[in-house]
Every structure is written in structure tokens, then in C-alpha cells.
Amino acid sequence: MLQVGLSLPRAPGGAAGGFPAQPEQGDGDGDGTSTTQGMLGSSPVTVVITSEADTWDIDTASSCLGCGQFVDWDRMPEPEQQANIPRDILTQPPKELKRLLREGCLAASRALRAQVYHRLCQQVACRLVTPDAPVYRDVASRLFGKHSASSHPLPDFLEGCSMPTYCLSPDGVTAMKKILICVGNLFPDITYSPILPSLVALLLHYSEDEAQCFENISRLIASNAPHTSYIDQSFLAHRASCMTFGDLANKHCPAAHKLIASSSENVFEVYSEWLSWLFHDLPFDYAIRVFDVYLLEGQKVLYRIALALLKQYRLSVASPELEGADIKADLQAFVQNIAEHTTVDKLLERAFGIRLFSRKEIWLLQMANRKALMERGITMVQSRQSFHLAVDMQTFSSGTVTAQEMRIIWSWIPERFSLSPPLLLFSTSEDGCSLQRFYSCCEGYEPTVLLIKTTEGEVCGAFLSSDWSERKKNGATSGFFGTGECFVFTVRPEMERYEWVFIKKPELAKAVPRSRQRSPSPGPMSLLSSSPDGRGTSSNHLAVPTPQRKGRLSPFLAIRHFLLPSKTASMFMSGSREGIIIGGGGGQALSLDADLLWGRTEHCETFDNPPLCQENFRVQLLEVWSFQNT
């Protein structure tokens, strides 16, 4: 193990050149076989190096030799032969440029890729005062002096991070280290950013010199475009990004997610490596194509491509093969050998065929995840921590589901809640069959999981995003409330989840312009169908769903953000003195009477679900679970 430990001079106040503190953000990971430790004061910086062993000495004579000077050309793949590259590609309108980059037009020319990269970075909207090439030359000269070689520690924000070097030469690896040291000096507010080494390494392949590479990476760091980010720069933001990917995988890759949840003890730890798949495990010719579109479109495309990898993984492995396997290592090996399964063009085609929600909706989800982490004590300035699946297999006890079944249900709920262990709020076996008792036990908790076991042994339920006290806001009428994060599910005889219909078909709903944000109003319908014992119906009607109150924990998929084509598309949950219903439009996914003894399940438009058990059922046991604040 190589020890790199020379002290690094810093400007007064921790920042050179008087540049302002950096807003936090965090991503990715790297590529590693050997380990380097540097000491900055008393703080160890552990970095995993991927290329051949080198001394990591700073050789100031290796700068400014021309584009491509940092590349080991023997290891670089040959450019693809591709005709009809537009000569005026740099002046194409954004939509056409997006299409060209997605289709790989830059893969045919290294010189063209270098020009486009520099131009794209220069067009990134960023803070007014951002370090540029002359600043780099000044700071690098001050830090490294005139010596032919010297050793310096890497910044603290790389502690425990991998360091992929792709096809860089030894001079390129040295240049990458110098740039990262200068980034640490000029952006002192970066506290954790494992994706930065990968981005610097890829940019160096297509930079004229270190200064140009530094200027371009600085613009990505300093980006201030609304609802857009390139580089997360704290442990909090990095972990929130990982949680957001877990939420998106849960929604857009249900088959792969179910496979991982049933095969892994900790689903979150598997998904926490999602950026490593892109900028650590993918071969260079795949990673550089990812980088092409990332520079133009931002972090959202990284979510798309990682989801596409997950979908491809599910298609390429059989469930029996994963029994007893290390799913995290298996996914890593799969991505490293992705060429055996699909081409880069097919991978990107699959990625851009995924219909994600808008950039703003993803940003809202990320902010909700950050808030949840902060409430658990996670801060911006913090080293890496591990989170474990919240369902303790040894101590969990329920009359409706087993611990293994609950673990899969817990993997379906939004990441920001699944970090907390389950808390039993209400059980008909302990609290009696009283709807009023149900309300009094559940009010004040958000969200909740409803579990029903029928007298026939079937088990079904619902994840409900809002506090049941919301029902009181409509007065005497019964209105639907909740958000698009609600879903219904079956446990026995088979486990299956049915989400809001717009999760699967987001193209059906349009985003509401800021000036027109509102909640749609479903038309009148009967609150409860006739119960199987013939005890009548309710004539109550449904009112306009209550708008989300400001500051709540579930902003993602709130109906106020959408123009919905159907008035029955947002019937998530409703309650009155006569009973409760979940889902609506053509029927209710679940409805229960005031005695919590009889229920009915039907297809409904909100979740597009089949009946969750026998259509008319008698309740053997009903439980409501929420989430402990730890």
C-alpha cells in the first residue's frame, strides 16, 4: 500500500482565490484493485486505484503537450466507423443535438468529441464566479511549485472512494490527481463526491491540457440550473441520489426489484452502487457514450441508463441462479461484462424508452429523500455510513404476514420510509373491530401500511401515503386524498403490487403549469358497495381531493402537479363513519365497512388492479403498520 502524506498548503479560509463556498450535492463511485492512503492533517483519505501501479508523483513538466497527451493509446478502443456526421453539429438546435448524441455520432471522431465536450461544459449555467483555466494555472503553480516531482494527499472528499483511470497514461493519472487536489482547494464545501474522479478522468481523455479539464469540471460543479444537477457534493446528497434511484427502480423495474428484494438482505445497499455501475464497472467504450449524453442532459440520463442496466440484468439471469449468491457482486460482474448481453446502442435505446416523470418530479423526490435523511441525523459533512434493512427478521411478529413477506413489502415502499423499522399501530385482535378505534390509533402517522387477512387465508393490503386525519378536512362529505405514491398489493397466494396507473403510463398525464396547479375533482359515486351480509350502502358523495399541505413528507407524485385525463384517476384513499375505501373509478380496489368485518375488492381505474382476493370477503385480521422514527 502506497502512503502519500506530504502536507498540502491552503489559501486563507480554506479556499484559494477567494471563491465562494459551494452548494452541496454527491454521486457515483469508481474502479479499484489497489489502495492508496493519504493523510491530510489527521484525516486518512483512502482511495482505490484501478490502473497499473504508479508512484503518484507530481511531474510539473508533463503539462500542456496537446490534446490526447494523457491517453495510453494502446488501451483505447478504435473510433467507430460512422458516416454522415453533421459538420455543423455544434450549431444544431438542442433537440437535434440531443438525438445525435444519443445515437452516438461522437463515437466516430475523437477530435469532434473533444470540441463538443468543451462547448457543452462552457454552456452549462453556473455561478457568476467560477474558477477557470488561468485560476488553475495560478493555484497549481502555488501548490506544486517548481519541483520536478512531489507528493500530495488527495482531498478529504474522496475518502473511501474508488478511482477509475480508464485508458489514462501515467502522466494522465498524475494530471487527474493534480486537478482533484485543486478542486479540493478551490471548492472547500465539497465534502463527499465519489463520482468526481471518474468525470475528471473521462474529460482528460479529450482535453487540451490540465487547465482546460479543470475549467470544464468546475463548471459542472458550479451548475445552478433549476431542478438540474451534474455532481452531488456531500454524503447527504449522494445518499439521497441513491435512495431516489431505489425509488425509481422500484417503480420502473418491478421484476428486477422483486428479484433483488427476495435475494438480498439489504436492497438499499445494492442500489447504493448504481453510479458505480456507470462510472466504474462499464467498459470505457460504454462509459464514454454515457458521458456524451450526461454532459448535455444532466443527472436524469444517469438514472435512465442505470435503470436500463437493471432491466437488462433481469432479462439475462434466472432466479434460481441467484439463490445464495451475492447479488451486489453479481450485478457488478454483469455490468463489467455487459458486452456479452447487449450493445451500447441497444442499452441507450432501452434507457431512453423508459418513460420517467419530469425532471421536476424527480427533483421533488430527491428533496423528500434528503429531508428524511436529515431527520435521521445525516448531515452534509459526514463520512460514509451503512443503512440496513429495517425489518428485523429475528424480532418481527405479525398475525398477517411473515417476516420474509414483510421484507418484500418494505422494499416496495419509498426509500425515505423504508429506512425505518415497522411499528404496529392497530390490530383488530388487540384493538377490536371498531372503525373509530382504527382512526384514533392511525391519526398522526404518515404513511401507513394496511394489511388484511381474510377468513379464506388470502392476504392483501395497501400502502397509504397520507395521514387518515386528512379525511376531516372535507367536513361532512367524504373526499379522496393521498398522493400517487399510494399502491395496493397482494401477498397470498402470490405477491404482486399495483401502483398508480400513471406510474406505468406517465404519458397520459401532463404536468400542470405553475400558474394552473390545482387538484382535479372526481365525480360523485357511492362510498361503499353493499356488504355481503346485506347491510346497506352509503349515499355519501366524493368531494374535491384536499390539496397537499405545505411542507409534507410526500410531495412526489402529488396530484396537484398533473392534469389528469380522468376525474377518477386520483382516488387514492377516503374515509368516513361508514367505512374506508382505497382506489376508485369503476369500482374500489379495497372497501371496508364500519365494523371492519366485511370488505370488497374490485378492479379500479386509479390502480388498474384486478380484485386483490375474493371479491366479497370477511376479515379475519386487520393490521396497520407505520414507521418508527429512530
Side-chain angles (χ1 to χ4, degrees), residues 13 20 168 176 187 191 207 218 223 263 286 349 458 535 555 573 597:
L168 292 178
M176 177 173 67
F187 294 94
T191 57
S207 296
S218 292
S223 169
S263 306
Y286 283 67
E349 182 181 341
E458 297 172 295
R535 288 186 288 172
M573 53 191 291
L597 289 175

Side-chain angles (χ1 to χ4, degrees), residues 111-128:
L112 177 62
R113 185 172 260 151
Q115 292 179 55
V116 171
Y117 280 8
H118 184 62
R119 181 71 63 86
L120 290 177
C121 290
Q122 292 302 305
Q123 291 175 350
V124 170
C126 59
R127 294 198 312 272
L128 182 63

Side-chain angles (χ1 to χ4, degrees), residues 252-265:
H252 296 282
C253 307
H257 178 80
K258 187 175 179 181
L259 178 66
I260 292 171
S262 60
S263 306
S264 172
E265 292 186 2

Side-chain angles (χ1 to χ4, degrees), residues 200-218:
V200 171
L202 291 170
L203 274 174
L204 267 174
H205 284 75
Y206 301 94
S207 296
E208 292 181 1
D209 56 21
E210 295 169 16
Q212 185 189 70
C213 180
F214 171 85
E215 178 173 322
N216 288 337
I217 199 68
S218 292

